[in-house]
Amino acid sequence: MAKTGQGRRDVAALEARRFEAARLFARGAGQAAVMHALGVSRQTAHEWYHRWRRKGRQGLKAVGRLGRKPRLDRRQLDRVERALLQGPRRHGFATDLWTLPRVATVIARLTGVAYHPGHVWYLLRGLQWSLQRPARRARERDEAAIRQWVRRRWPVVKKTPGASAPGSSSRTRAVSRSSPSSDARGRRAGTPPF
């Protein structure tokens, strides 16, 4: 099946393949020859042949778009995008943050078409909008105090005795090669041999 880069079916390429089948049928090729030449199933070649016999080449023409028609046309989507570019405050929201429920509300106000907030994401992706997460910072954040702490306190805190020396982070002694290991095979260390 002919697909575009986004995984959608290429209607024009599929129609061209059916027209090629019509051309082969007109030349006297059988269903099996069309099946092998175009790489389709026996059932598909059979169906194409009978449609071609009933209506000719016109019977193999594409029927139009595949799937359900979109609820918003291009003009309405452009109107929605212009509204989104104005910002949430312009549409009566308290903050400058677009959320899916807010976008769904704006779409319903502008077009009269109600969308579930979870589906709004598909519309936004179609408009080339992407997810943006605002940086979260405490309102009480004191940048001057943070800079002072990093400059004065952090060097003292991060320097620990022996931090530059190689070794284990454990305060226990390293395992001796002569001591029995607890994961050794056989009897457990320290148990009498019975």
Side-chain angles (χ1 to χ4, degrees), residues 2 4 8-18 62-66:
T4 63
R8 296 189 180 124
R9 289 183 277 185
D10 185 358
V11 177
L14 294 172
E15 183 181 65
R17 191 166 65 160
R18 289 192 301 273
V63 294
R65 70 173 272 95
L66 302 173

Short mmCIF file of all heavy atoms in Angstrom, two decimals, residues 2 4 8-18 62-66:
data_model
loop_
_atom_site.label_atom_id
_atom_site.label_comp_id
_atom_site.label_asym_id
_atom_site.label_seq_id
_atom_site.Cartn_x
_atom_site.Cartn_y
_atom_site.Cartn_z
N ALA A 2 0.56 2.20 -0.82
CA ALA A 2 1.36 3.41 -0.91
C ALA A 2 1.10 4.30 0.30
O ALA A 2 -0.04 4.58 0.64
CB ALA A 2 1.01 4.17 -2.18
N THR A 4 2.53 7.82 2.68
CA THR A 4 3.35 9.03 2.72
C THR A 4 4.32 8.90 3.87
O THR A 4 4.28 7.94 4.61
CB THR A 4 2.48 10.29 2.90
OG1 THR A 4 1.82 10.19 4.16
CG2 THR A 4 1.46 10.43 1.79
N ARG A 8 0.28 8.04 6.29
CA ARG A 8 -1.05 8.12 5.70
C ARG A 8 -1.02 7.53 4.30
O ARG A 8 -0.01 7.57 3.62
CB ARG A 8 -1.51 9.57 5.63
CG ARG A 8 -1.67 10.19 7.00
CD ARG A 8 -2.33 11.55 6.88
NE ARG A 8 -2.48 12.12 8.20
CZ ARG A 8 -2.01 13.29 8.56
NH1 ARG A 8 -1.35 14.02 7.70
NH2 ARG A 8 -2.20 13.74 9.77
N ARG A 9 -2.15 7.02 3.86
CA ARG A 9 -2.22 6.43 2.53
C ARG A 9 -2.18 7.53 1.47
O ARG A 9 -2.84 8.55 1.59
CB ARG A 9 -3.49 5.61 2.38
CG ARG A 9 -3.43 4.34 3.19
CD ARG A 9 -4.64 3.52 2.99
NE ARG A 9 -5.69 4.03 3.88
CZ ARG A 9 -6.87 3.48 4.01
NH1 ARG A 9 -7.18 2.42 3.33
NH2 ARG A 9 -7.75 3.97 4.84
N ASP A 10 -1.43 7.29 0.42
CA ASP A 10 -1.31 8.23 -0.70
C ASP A 10 -2.40 7.89 -1.70
O ASP A 10 -2.28 6.94 -2.49
CB ASP A 10 0.08 8.14 -1.32
CG ASP A 10 0.30 9.17 -2.40
OD1 ASP A 10 -0.63 9.93 -2.71
OD2 ASP A 10 1.41 9.18 -2.97
N VAL A 11 -3.50 8.64 -1.68
CA VAL A 11 -4.67 8.36 -2.50
C VAL A 11 -4.32 8.41 -3.98
O VAL A 11 -4.75 7.55 -4.76
CB VAL A 11 -5.81 9.36 -2.17
CG1 VAL A 11 -7.00 9.13 -3.06
CG2 VAL A 11 -6.20 9.23 -0.71
N ALA A 12 -3.50 9.36 -4.40
CA ALA A 12 -3.15 9.49 -5.82
C ALA A 12 -2.34 8.28 -6.30
O ALA A 12 -2.56 7.77 -7.40
CB ALA A 12 -2.36 10.77 -6.04
N ALA A 13 -1.41 7.80 -5.48
CA ALA A 13 -0.60 6.65 -5.86
C ALA A 13 -1.46 5.38 -5.94
O ALA A 13 -1.27 4.55 -6.83
CB ALA A 13 0.55 6.45 -4.88
N LEU A 14 -2.41 5.25 -5.02
CA LEU A 14 -3.30 4.08 -5.06
C LEU A 14 -4.18 4.12 -6.31
O LEU A 14 -4.40 3.09 -6.96
CB LEU A 14 -4.17 4.04 -3.80
CG LEU A 14 -3.41 3.81 -2.48
CD1 LEU A 14 -4.35 3.99 -1.30
CD2 LEU A 14 -2.79 2.44 -2.47
N GLU A 15 -4.66 5.29 -6.65
CA GLU A 15 -5.49 5.44 -7.85
C GLU A 15 -4.66 5.14 -9.10
O GLU A 15 -5.14 4.46 -10.02
CB GLU A 15 -6.07 6.85 -7.93
CG GLU A 15 -6.99 7.06 -9.11
CD GLU A 15 -7.52 8.47 -9.16
OE1 GLU A 15 -6.71 9.40 -9.34
OE2 GLU A 15 -8.75 8.64 -9.02
N ALA A 16 -3.42 5.59 -9.13
CA ALA A 16 -2.55 5.32 -10.29
C ALA A 16 -2.33 3.82 -10.45
O ALA A 16 -2.29 3.30 -11.58
CB ALA A 16 -1.22 6.05 -10.12
N ARG A 17 -2.22 3.12 -9.36
CA ARG A 17 -2.03 1.66 -9.43
C ARG A 17 -3.29 0.99 -9.98
O ARG A 17 -3.21 0.06 -10.78
CB ARG A 17 -1.68 1.12 -8.04
CG ARG A 17 -1.22 -0.31 -8.08
CD ARG A 17 -0.56 -0.73 -6.82
NE ARG A 17 -1.50 -0.71 -5.70
CZ ARG A 17 -1.32 -1.38 -4.58
NH1 ARG A 17 -0.23 -2.09 -4.40
NH2 ARG A 17 -2.21 -1.33 -3.62
N ARG A 18 -4.46 1.46 -9.56
CA ARG A 18 -5.70 0.89 -10.10
C ARG A 18 -5.84 1.20 -11.60
O ARG A 18 -6.30 0.36 -12.38
CB ARG A 18 -6.91 1.41 -9.32
CG ARG A 18 -7.01 0.85 -7.92
CD ARG A 18 -8.34 1.15 -7.27
NE ARG A 18 -8.61 2.58 -7.17
CZ ARG A 18 -8.22 3.36 -6.17
NH1 ARG A 18 -7.52 2.85 -5.16
NH2 ARG A 18 -8.52 4.64 -6.17
N ALA A 62 -10.50 7.07 -7.68
CA ALA A 62 -10.54 7.26 -6.23
C ALA A 62 -11.88 7.88 -5.84
O ALA A 62 -12.41 8.72 -6.56
CB ALA A 62 -9.40 8.15 -5.77
N VAL A 63 -12.40 7.46 -4.71
CA VAL A 63 -13.71 7.93 -4.27
C VAL A 63 -13.62 9.24 -3.50
O VAL A 63 -14.63 9.81 -3.13
CB VAL A 63 -14.43 6.87 -3.41
CG1 VAL A 63 -14.77 5.66 -4.24
CG2 VAL A 63 -13.59 6.51 -2.20
N GLY A 64 -12.44 9.73 -3.24
CA GLY A 64 -12.29 10.97 -2.48
C GLY A 64 -11.47 10.72 -1.24
O GLY A 64 -10.72 9.75 -1.15
N ARG A 65 -11.63 11.57 -0.28
CA ARG A 65 -10.81 11.47 0.92
C ARG A 65 -11.16 10.21 1.70
O ARG A 65 -12.28 9.73 1.65
CB ARG A 65 -10.96 12.72 1.78
CG ARG A 65 -12.29 12.89 2.46
CD ARG A 65 -12.29 14.07 3.43
NE ARG A 65 -11.85 13.68 4.75
CZ ARG A 65 -10.62 13.78 5.24
NH1 ARG A 65 -9.68 14.25 4.54
NH2 ARG A 65 -10.32 13.41 6.45
N LEU A 66 -10.18 9.71 2.44
CA LEU A 66 -10.38 8.53 3.26
C LEU A 66 -10.69 8.96 4.68
O LEU A 66 -10.13 9.93 5.19
CB LEU A 66 -9.11 7.67 3.24
CG LEU A 66 -8.66 7.23 1.85
CD1 LEU A 66 -7.32 6.55 1.93
CD2 LEU A 66 -9.68 6.31 1.24
#
